[in-house]
Structures are given as structure tokens and as C-alpha cells.
Amino acid sequence: MARKSRSSWFREKREEIAELAVYDPDRGPERLGRLLATAQERVPRYRALREREEVELGDFPLTRKADLRAHFLDSISRDATGLMEPGRFFLTQTSGSTGQPVALLSTAETGGLSNDVIRERFNAHLALPDTGTVLNVGLLFGGTPLLEPVMLPRPYVKCNLGGFDPDSPGIVADYDAVVGRLPVDLVTGSSSRVIALARYCADRGIRLRPQGVVATYEHMPDSGRRLVEETFDRKVTMLYATSETGYAAFECGRRRMHFQDDFVLPEITPAGDDEVGEIVLTHLLSTPMPVIRYVTGDLAPRPTTCDCGLPGTVTDGLVGRTGSSLVGLDGAAYSPYALLAALCTAGLEDFQVVQHEPGLLDLVTVGAQAEAAVTVRSVNARLGEHFGAGTGFRLRHRPGAGFVLTAGGKRNPVVQRLEVAQAPERTRYIHS
């Protein structure tokens, strides 16, 4: 790493990232205009728009996961002869958090640039050192090394641990070898795994004092956030991203989410509630295969203002994800986060919620099963106090079942096998 950080390649990349890390309000409209013109003129999927003199963002249809799968070839930019534009291309595949992975086309020149720039912005926001060590408890693919050097946007060594599993001797050995034995500048990973790491440290009296704690992918319930912040003596910063559009937004000190509008343009469209809408993203550097008006499945309050000094479209944080909504006996959609918060607060070591039928949730757990059974009875009693006959849901403990993994090996806290009604999620049904 030291040798590579002295190379001309590293200096050039660092200078490019540093220049783009300065927010420029003019870059967003310029990139949007270029992206829409490219899509109109060169993408077969949008050939119906070619007769228009000018197009605006609203002229393009909403894009969902199924559209990306169905229109993969028709979504690639091509010239008049049908050839792709020159460049070094690569395919990426999403993790398939809803059970259906999606392939996307990008270029080596721009594919990771926006992610590096946005990461550099929140590195500066968190006042992280120029180099250091990351404890990563996020998604790991097969073959990921325990220690991994990463050069951009800053040279760091990643300690890749994944989620703690007390029944896996290899994972237990890795945690014993790393956690508390190495200095850590940054803790990062999916929200549920960051919470599990905090509980691991708290139970064993391990003192980690990172400069930053960054949680991604899932909404972090307030009870879990309190545990993490008390354990690490550091505020949590939520980083919002999707596999299809990359990093898109991060929290300020007031816990409001700021979208990086010069790289990813957000819309928060009505979802049947005046206060909450679906997050729709357009990736402004996705010209090889334009990702325009992608429906993320995440829900957020309508845009607001913030005086913290960070730029970009602002919302008061995520409130749910339609792909992981729970379906009640009444067919209504319920946010999973109040339930996940209650299960986390109860101290379950590791768990997953799987739904196959309305009103009934299978709870898969590891560790002490008798304690988990007590938790299920307690939570069901509280759910019963709130829900009347024919509404809501209950838990069914499934200690012998295995965790459900995505095609990429990722384990999500909620696996939804049912069609979820296109309606606002109900959230106020249990308190942790």
C-alpha cells in the first residue's frame, strides 16, 4: 500500500476524487441533460421518445427491478450501427435482496467514480484519518480475505468479518483474532450486523473507539442505534445506497439524509400518504446503460430543509422498505422495523424473519433456543394487545430452519415471499 500510494496512478486518482468531492450545484443538471439526451438518442428501450425535440425527466417511465431484467439488452446505449460506445465495460450483479438479482453494465472509467467521491465526502464529514483500518461487517462474497487493502478513496486496510455467528467456528475464530486486538478507525456494515458487533463487544467488555460508525442497507431502529452509540461512544452515520445506483445519500449530524444530487438525482414520489413517498433514483453517470427513475422500494418522508451546511436534497431519513414489508391477516403492509427493534432489544444473538403466508412470520434463530422461545411468547403477547382479530401478524418460532440467503450469499433480516400491497406501511404497532 505504501508503495502504491507513491505511484502516479494513485496521485492522479486522488486529485480527481478531491476535485469532484467539492459539491458543484451545476454538475447535476449538466449530467442529467447528457444522460437524458443519450437515453433518447441511443437506447432502444426509449425509442418512442426520439421524435420529441426535448425530453424531461418526467417523460421517462418509472423503472423497477423487473424492467431492468426484462430490458437488459434494450437498455444499453448504442450508435446508429447498433454498436456500443468505446470504453472498458464490466458487468455487475446486484445481491438479489428480493430473491431476483439484476445485471447492470458500467464502465471502468465511471463505474466506481461516484461511489469513491461520495465516500470521500463522508470520510471528510466524519473527519476520518487519511489512512487507517476499517472493521467491515457488511456483505462478503465467497473468497473475500480477512484482511484486504483498499486504495481509494483513501488507503485503508479492511478487516472483513461479516455477521457474527456463534455456531460457526471459523467466524468465531476470526472475531477472536481481530475484534479488540487491532486499532479501528471506522466501523461499517449493514445495520443489523453493526448492532450485532456492538452487542458482541458489550457482552465481552471489548472497548472500540472508532472515529466513525457507518451503517448501510437497512434502516437502523432507535434501540439498536442507542446500543451502538453507547458501546462505541460515537454517533452512527447512515449511508444510503442501492446496488443499482450506488451510494446516494448520507446522514448529517441532525440525522437528516442528504442526497448527493450531482451524482444521483432523487425523487420522492407519492405512495398513498401525503407525508411519505417512494424513493426514485436516477444515476447521472450511468450513460452506458442509463438507470433512469429507478424505484428503489424504499420509503422516506417528503423533502425538507436542513441548516447543517451539507448540500443536496434532504429528507428526515428512511421509514421503511416495500420489499421487506410484512403482510397482515388483513392484507395490509406493516413496516418490519418496529418488530426488528423489539427482537434486537430482547437480545437475540442472530435471527431472520421469513413470511410465506399472511399474518404469520417464521422466526429463524441461532443460539439458546429456550431464550428465543421466551422472546417469541413475549413479543406475540405485545402484538396481541395491539392487533384485533383478523389484523396484524404473529411470530412462529422455527429453530430448526436454516437462514435464507440471496444468490450473492447475503442474509437479509426480512425475507418476504408474498406480494405486498402497494400502500403505505403501518408502523405504530409495537414499542421496543
Side-chain angles (χ1 to χ4, degrees):
M1 287 182 67
R3 189 163 56 247
K4 201 165 187 177
S5 65
R6 292 192 295 268
S7 68
S8 59
W9 167 86
F10 178 75
R11 289 195 300 271
E12 290 170 3
K13 288 295 184 182
R14 285 288 303 148
E15 289 172 2
E16 182 180 17
I17 291 171
E19 178 187 353
L20 293 173
V22 179
Y23 185 86
D24 184 346
D26 294 329
R27 280 199 181 111
E30 290 173 3
R31 288 171 175 159
L32 177 63
R34 190 179 312 119
L35 177 71
L36 299 185
T38 299
Q40 179 190 25
E41 298 166 6
R42 304 186 56 158
V43 176
R45 184 189 172 197
Y46 300 117
R47 60 170 56 92
L49 298 176
R50 290 180 184 172
E51 302 304 319
R52 302 191 185 187
E53 292 186 7
E54 295 184 5
V55 291
E56 298 178 351
L57 184 60
D59 295 326
F60 289 80
L62 295 174
T63 298
R64 301 180 186 275
K65 239 183 235 297
D67 298 315
L68 293 177
R69 286 193 298 271
H71 297 285
F72 175 78
L73 293 177
D74 287 344
S75 297
I76 298 173
S77 299
R78 305 173 185 274
D79 63 19
T81 68
L83 296 176
M84 292 163 37
E85 61 184 76
R88 293 176 294 163
F89 295 89
F90 64 90
L91 285 173
T92 59
Q93 181 166 293
T94 70
S95 64
S97 59
T98 61
Q100 296 287 340
V102 171
L104 298 169
L105 184 74
S106 189
T107 64
E109 290 79 11
T110 63
L113 179 63
S114 61
N115 280 349
D116 283 338
V117 171
I118 294 173
R119 282 170 56 200
E120 176 60 20
R121 287 177 180 174
F122 75 74
N123 285 347
H125 174 62
L126 297 176
L128 295 180
D130 289 337
T131 187
T133 304
V134 179
L135 190 53
N136 172 36
V137 289
L139 169 63
L140 300 182
F141 294 96
T144 302
L146 178 61
L147 299 178
E148 178 184 14
V150 177
M151 294 302 298
L152 297 174
R154 300 183 184 188
Y156 268 69
V157 174
K158 289 174 66 177
C159 301
N160 298 310
L161 288 175
F164 182 69
D165 182 352
D167 294 328
S168 171
I171 291 178
V172 170
D174 286 344
Y175 269 70
D176 287 342
V178 171
V179 181
R181 299 181 183 275
L182 295 175
V184 175
D185 299 288
L186 174 66
V187 169
T188 185
S190 62
S191 294
S192 58
R193 290 183 175 182
V194 171
I195 293 170
L197 175 66
R199 183 172 292 113
Y200 175 93
C201 292
D203 290 346
R204 292 160 178 80
I206 296 174
R207 187 178 184 272
L208 296 184
R209 289 295 179 264
Q211 179 64 29
V213 177
V214 177
T216 61
Y217 176 65
E218 313 147 345
H219 165 87
M220 180 175 280
D222 286 343
S223 57
R225 188 185 285 256
R226 285 194 299 270
L227 172 65
V228 173
E229 294 181 346
E230 290 171 1
T231 302
F232 298 139
D233 193 27
R234 182 65 56 180
K235 283 189 174 183
V236 172
T237 299
M238 291 297 301
L239 172 64
Y240 177 61
T242 73
S243 300
E244 295 77 10
T245 61
Y247 295 150
F250 57 88
E251 278 184 338
C252 67
R254 292 169 172 76
R255 287 180 58 175
R256 295 191 178 103
M257 198 73 76
H258 290 249
F259 284 89
Q260 306 302 292
D261 296 1
D262 52 344
F263 286 97
V264 183
L265 183 65
E267 302 171 76
I268 300 181
T269 63
D273 188 314
D274 289 339
E275 301 300 324
V276 173
E278 282 193 306
I279 300 175
V280 176
L281 298 179
T282 296
H283 191 324
L284 301 180
L285 292 186
S286 63
T287 50
M289 182 179 176
V291 179
I292 299 175
R293 306 195 74 202
Y294 175 67
V295 181
T296 65
D298 294 312
L299 306 175
R302 297 303 182 85
T304 184
T305 59
C306 185
D307 59 359
C308 73
L310 289 177
T313 299
V314 182
T315 182
D316 279 326
L318 304 183
V319 296
R321 166 165 267 195
T322 56
S324 60
S325 298
L326 309 175
V327 180
L329 275 172
D330 49 353
Y334 294 88
S335 167
Y337 299 119
L339 175 64
L340 296 180
L343 295 173
C344 286
T345 301
L348 292 184
E349 290 183 358
D350 212 355
F351 62 86
Q352 185 180 57
V353 175
V354 184
Q355 184 165 31
H356 295 278
E357 56 184 288
L360 186 61
L361 310 178
D362 288 341
L363 181 68
V364 183
T365 64
V366 300
Q369 300 302 333
E371 294 179 9
V374 171
T375 296
V376 169
R377 289 195 294 270
S378 173
V379 171
N380 275 341
R382 294 162 65 189
L383 292 171
E385 291 174 0
H386 177 82
F387 292 124
T391 64
F393 52 84
R394 302 294 187 276
L395 294 173
R396 175 175 60 186
H397 192 206
R398 299 296 298 274
F403 289 127
V404 178
L405 306 179
T406 69
K410 183 177 183 179
R411 175 161 56 82
N412 294 316
V414 177
V415 177
Q416 181 52 264
R417 299 304 196 193
L418 302 176
E419 290 292 330
V420 180
Q422 296 295 313
E425 292 179 320
R426 302 182 184 183
T427 60
R428 299 180 184 278
Y429 57 84
I430 192 173
H431 297 283
S432 59

